[in-house]
Amino acid sequence: MAAIDNDWLPPLSAEFRKPYYKELYLKVKDEYQHHQVFPAPDDLFSAYALTELHNVKVVILGQDPYHDVGQAHGLCFSVKPGVDIPPSLQNIYQELHDDLGLRIPNNGYLVKWAKQGVLLLNTVLTVRAHQANSHRGIGWEQFTDATIRILNEQDRPIVFMLWGKPAQSKQSMLNNPKHLILKAPHPSPLSAYRGFFGCRHFSRANAFLTENHLQPVDWQIEDI
């Protein structure tokens, strides 16, 4: 499996030594050996690899990876080039269009965001094929909670976009007054019309970054 080898490693190293993580590692290794699991092992920590800790300026929390073949590659809401854009991401693009006037692209590959400091983190990092939430409760939540606490402790402004109740349940860990917490319903077709549409999180995030003398995010994903 992939390893974390950038500036995330020092603050997360204590987690790797805890009993829960050893159990998690063995469980995930067994799952990869005996089942079809997403994302691929090399993509497991892509969110951490593409968005180093010192570069994080925005955090978007997802739940668990997409569970159909060829979709998940380690960034929440993102899919590989050539894969159909999932409904939640279609709604994210619609809100970006309504909020910032951006053109809706022909792909769902969000690596451009990650490279600008948008941490696209799922709270659970693996899933069995075609079984949503199948790896909930095996230990990933403890690991990603540690990640959220590390981010909360950073002595610089960070925007947290908490979409839906599972993401909003993490708000109690976010008590640093330097950060901006934005909450909205999940962009899923089941809930987007209850307030995700019109939340203007993207323009609000960029306004906050600009006020704090940070480079705003270029949210426009180019066509492939």
Side-chain angles (χ1 to χ4, degrees):
M1 288 191 295
I4 293 174
D5 59 6
N6 57 20
D7 64 350
W8 280 106
L9 184 58
L12 282 171
S13 59
E15 299 303 306
F16 297 130
R17 295 192 294 268
K18 291 180 180 178
Y20 88 86
Y21 192 86
K22 293 175 182 175
E23 293 178 16
L24 171 63
Y25 177 86
L26 293 173
K27 173 70 173 173
V28 171
K29 185 177 178 182
D30 182 73
E31 286 282 302
Y32 274 118
Q33 288 174 345
H34 295 101
H35 302 276
Q36 190 174 21
V37 172
F38 303 128
D42 288 346
D43 288 334
L44 190 57
F45 293 121
S46 287
Y48 299 87
L50 288 167
T51 313
E52 296 186 26
L53 176 58
H54 73 277
N55 282 333
V56 175
K57 58 175 74 169
V58 177
V59 180
I60 298 177
L61 285 179
Q63 193 163 319
D64 66 337
Y66 294 124
H67 53 80
D68 284 338
V69 176
Q71 291 182 306
H73 64 103
L75 305 180
C76 73
F77 295 108
S78 181
V79 291
K80 295 177 183 178
V83 176
D84 288 344
I85 301 171
S88 290
L89 183 53
Q90 290 179 21
N91 287 340
I92 291 169
Y93 283 165
Q94 185 62 51
E95 175 59 21
L96 274 164
H97 172 74
D98 296 344
D99 185 12
L100 293 170
L102 300 191
R103 179 179 37 78
I104 294 176
N106 66 359
N107 68 93
Y109 194 52
L110 304 182
V111 166
K112 176 182 176 179
W113 294 358
K115 288 182 175 179
Q116 293 181 82
V118 181
L119 183 68
L120 297 166
L121 183 68
N122 280 311
T123 54
V124 174
L125 300 187
T126 54
V127 68
R128 270 194 205 178
H130 316 302
Q131 297 182 44
N133 288 324
S134 48
H135 285 177
R136 181 173 57 189
I138 67 171
W140 281 127
E141 293 92 342
Q142 195 165 340
F143 183 77
T144 54
D145 279 358
T147 301
I148 294 166
R149 283 193 291 270
I150 290 164
L151 290 163
N152 180 61
E153 293 165 2
Q154 298 304 299
D155 189 27
R156 65 181 194 279
I158 297 175
V159 181
F160 291 84
M161 296 184 183
L162 306 181
W163 299 336
K165 289 182 181 177
Q168 290 170 16
S169 72
K170 309 298 181 183
Q171 185 178 358
S172 60
M173 290 186 274
L174 302 173
N175 57 11
N176 186 331
K178 292 197 171 184
H179 302 329
L180 175 66
I181 314 299
L182 299 175
K183 298 188 294 181
H186 195 274
S188 154
L190 298 173
S191 55
Y193 288 94
R194 297 185 202 141
F196 178 78
F197 290 135
C199 69
R200 303 184 64 84
H201 280 188
F202 303 100
S203 60
R204 291 168 68 187
N206 276 357
F208 176 79
L209 295 172
T210 301
E211 288 165 10
N212 286 281
H213 312 292
L214 295 168
Q215 186 72 22
V217 176
D218 176 6
W219 296 103
Q220 179 68 66
I221 299 294
E222 282 78 24
D223 286 344
I224 293 177

